[in-house]
Amino acid sequence: MCANSTRGRRAVERRSILKGLGGAGLAALAGCIGTGDAPGSGDGGGDGGGGGNSSAGGEMAKRIEAWGWDVAAKSLGITASAYEKEADATVDVKQIGRSDMKDKYKSRLLSGSGAPAVAMMESVDAAAWVATGGLRDIGGWIEEAGLRDAFVSGKWEPLTKEGKTYALPWDIGPVGTFYRNDVLEQHGVDVSNVETWDQFIEEGKKLPDGQYMLNLPSNDYDGLWRMQYRQLGGQPFTEDGKVNLDNETSVRVARNLKRIHDSGIADDKASWSSAWFSAFKSGSIAALNAGAWMEGTLRAELPGTSGKWRVMKPPAFEAGGSRATNWGGSNLVIADQVEEAAARRGWDYMKFSLGTKEMQLAMYEEYGIFPALKAAYEADQFDRKNEFFGGQRSGRLFAEIARKIEPYRFTTATPEVTKAINAHFGSMMGGTLSPEEAVAKAAKQVADRTGRELA
């Protein structure tokens, strides 16, 4: 799920939650992974009760709580419903606002009490949450379940530290360039054969005044930079933690963003603002780059545009160059403070929810949450025609991108990168800094504020 994915797609109706799965499918699913039953009475009311054996060989609580926000929480409702039928246990899913949940959960980690058995965690927060010392190392359970190689390799980097693993991957955000096909056709713009940014910009120049090809929001320069830097294999920090922003790859991205800005094809509306949505609704901005999760947002916010959209791989920097990168993504964690029986139940629920393609596909179909589990990509759902994209098989396109995404290193200093890039790239767009100067100043600011060395 994206950091900005704050809007649901449809109301949760449990009757529709398990459509396509069927009882037999669930029974088979229960037989292949997770759902360690908890026979016996248990107390049914908290983290410490219950009995039964997990694959890890210990007792499990009868009832646990799981925290998430927006469509993530609703998706957990899908898997909780299925899990409860199979495991004779209760998973209380608590939906909390994104910012409130992050603040509340982190305070629970720091205080050492009050955390739920399971919680969602964005990959961008992983380093900061691990640094609290409050997350449980679940690496042993992941290995025992044989799940290490089941997920796309690019997911593990921010979840692992010093040989320990603190989360199970959930979703990823393979980036696509979403565009209004009706608008581009109206103005004679053809992106069907576009492969590079040069070609994309030239096509955008065909649009009349007041009609923009793209948007470069000043509040999200960091997101655009990160997307393209990762596409080129860039890492913001070295393995030993040095600030790695001032290099030719980073400058290359800065030059590209400046070039898009100066070409006149881009508007500058604040992302996720009302004006931003209105521009995509009217088509005055014809395209945007975002993770696969954007489909759910567009579908929910702009239902009247269904059938008018298409999606393509993001442009490369040169012919034959990489067109794979990522934007967003979440995971599930267990706090170290959680009692053993609840932790075992939490893990059993986590591997049921995220470690099986049936559950991952149920969440993908209902809310567009794109799985990090590779086995899901082989499902027929990814080859179905998508009416929102005019019958395009968008799922297969994203699955192809997903397999080629490079790993990316988030650290506790990542928030400083966000601030520095947005500040100095703003000056770059205004013409007071060159791309080289903007990148150098951003790197120095991060180093100064975090006490880290420059690479």
Side-chain angles (χ1 to χ4, degrees):
M1 285 60 71
C2 166
N4 294 312
S5 180
T6 57
R7 295 163 178 83
R9 186 169 134 192
R10 282 173 273 185
V12 175
E13 295 180 356
R14 289 204 168 187
R15 286 196 304 273
S16 65
I17 279 171
L18 301 176
K19 64 183 179 182
L21 293 177
L26 288 174
L29 175 62
C32 64
I33 190 167
T35 66
D37 206 353
S41 59
D43 63 13
D47 284 347
N53 297 316
S54 73
S55 57
E59 292 188 346
M60 289 191 284
K62 287 283 289 183
R63 178 186 294 272
I64 59 170
E65 193 169 85
W67 288 6
W69 62 77
D70 195 55
V71 293
K74 293 175 180 177
S75 295
L76 291 180
I78 291 177
T79 63
S81 178
Y83 183 80
E84 288 171 354
K85 292 179 181 178
E86 299 301 318
D88 188 27
T90 299
V91 179
D92 294 319
V93 177
K94 190 172 183 179
Q95 182 174 341
I96 306 173
R98 176 174 173 267
S99 296
D100 288 345
M101 197 214 112
K102 288 189 175 189
D103 292 343
K104 192 173 184 179
Y105 190 73
K106 195 169 181 180
S107 70
R108 300 290 172 86
L109 293 182
L110 292 169
S111 69
S113 65
V118 174
M120 70 174 290
M121 175 189 73
E122 285 186 291
S123 295
V124 70
D125 294 324
W129 288 22
V130 169
T132 65
L135 293 183
R136 183 179 185 124
D137 172 18
I138 58 172
W141 286 349
I142 291 171
E143 299 299 337
E144 182 189 65
L147 290 174
R148 179 72 64 180
D149 295 329
F151 295 90
V152 293
S153 58
K155 265 307 263 192
W156 291 109
E157 175 94 32
L159 312 182
T160 305
K161 183 180 180 181
E162 297 175 350
K164 298 179 179 179
T165 307
Y166 295 94
L168 190 64
W170 187 347
D171 76 309
I172 58 175
V175 171
T177 299
F178 299 78
Y179 62 93
R180 284 285 300 271
N181 190 57
D182 58 324
V183 174
L184 297 189
E185 281 189 342
Q186 177 186 347
H187 295 292
V189 175
D190 182 8
V191 294
S192 60
N193 293 316
V194 164
E195 182 183 359
T196 67
W197 276 111
D198 285 342
Q199 295 169 324
F200 189 84
I201 291 170
E202 288 306 309
E203 287 297 323
K205 289 179 178 177
K206 296 178 182 178
L207 295 171
D209 292 344
Q211 170 64 61
Y212 297 100
M213 187 73 159
L214 206 60
N215 193 52
L216 291 180
S218 60
N219 64 327
D220 216 358
Y221 290 145
D222 69 297
L224 297 169
W225 171 84
R226 183 171 61 248
M227 179 191 74
Q228 296 188 7
Y229 194 46
R230 186 169 183 172
Q231 182 178 348
L232 292 174
Q235 288 285 357
F237 300 94
T238 60
E239 289 186 12
D240 58 357
K242 294 178 181 175
V243 179
N244 191 37
L245 307 185
D246 188 8
N247 53 56
E248 182 53 38
T249 301
S250 182
V251 170
R252 192 179 183 191
V253 172
R255 288 178 185 147
N256 193 50
L257 293 175
K258 175 67 169 166
R259 189 161 60 101
I260 295 170
H261 175 273
D262 292 350
S263 71
I265 72 165
D267 202 351
D268 59 356
K269 290 185 168 50
S271 55
W272 303 94
S273 64
S274 297
W276 187 75
F277 278 110
S278 295
F280 291 122
K281 182 178 181 180
S282 69
S284 64
I285 299 176
L288 77 161
N289 290 293
W293 38 261
M294 179 56 72
E295 178 198 339
T297 297
L298 294 175
R299 189 188 294 275
E301 297 296 326
L302 309 175
T305 63
S306 178
K308 298 178 180 179
W309 290 89
R310 302 289 186 275
V311 63
M312 56 182 271
K313 294 178 181 177
F317 278 71
E318 68 281 324
S322 172
R323 303 181 69 177
T325 187
N326 185 79
W327 196 326
S330 294
N331 319 278
L332 288 179
V333 298
I334 300 173
D336 201 41
Q337 64 188 252
V338 174
E339 293 180 6
E340 190 67 15
R344 290 183 181 279
R345 178 62 73 189
W347 166 248
D348 202 55
Y349 168 63
M350 283 166 56
K351 66 179 180 179
F352 177 88
S353 300
L354 309 186
T356 64
K357 69 176 185 180
E358 289 82 359
M359 288 295 101
Q360 287 272 17
L361 289 171
M363 294 186 283
Y364 170 70
E365 286 200 289
E366 189 69 17
Y367 293 111
I369 294 176
F370 200 88
L373 187 74
K374 292 185 289 187
Y377 305 156
E378 306 304 323
D380 293 341
Q381 286 89 332
F382 287 87
D383 289 314
R384 291 177 184 167
K385 293 183 178 179
N386 188 328
E387 293 181 5
F388 190 78
F389 293 115
Q392 187 179 3
R393 290 179 171 81
S394 56
R396 182 54 56 201
L397 179 135
F398 285 122
E400 291 174 3
I401 295 172
R403 294 180 184 277
K404 300 176 181 176
I405 295 172
E406 296 286 342
Y408 196 75
R409 190 170 295 122
F410 295 101
T411 74
T412 55
T414 293
E416 291 298 338
V417 175
T418 297
K419 296 173 188 175
I421 292 290
N422 282 333
H424 297 295
F425 277 38
S427 298
M428 178 184 75
M429 296 302 185
T432 58
L433 291 178
S434 68
E436 292 80 1
E437 291 170 335
V439 165
K441 283 183 173 290
K444 186 175 186 306
Q445 179 175 312
V446 175
D448 289 345
R449 294 187 178 182
T450 63
R452 293 171 182 255
E453 295 181 20
L454 291 169

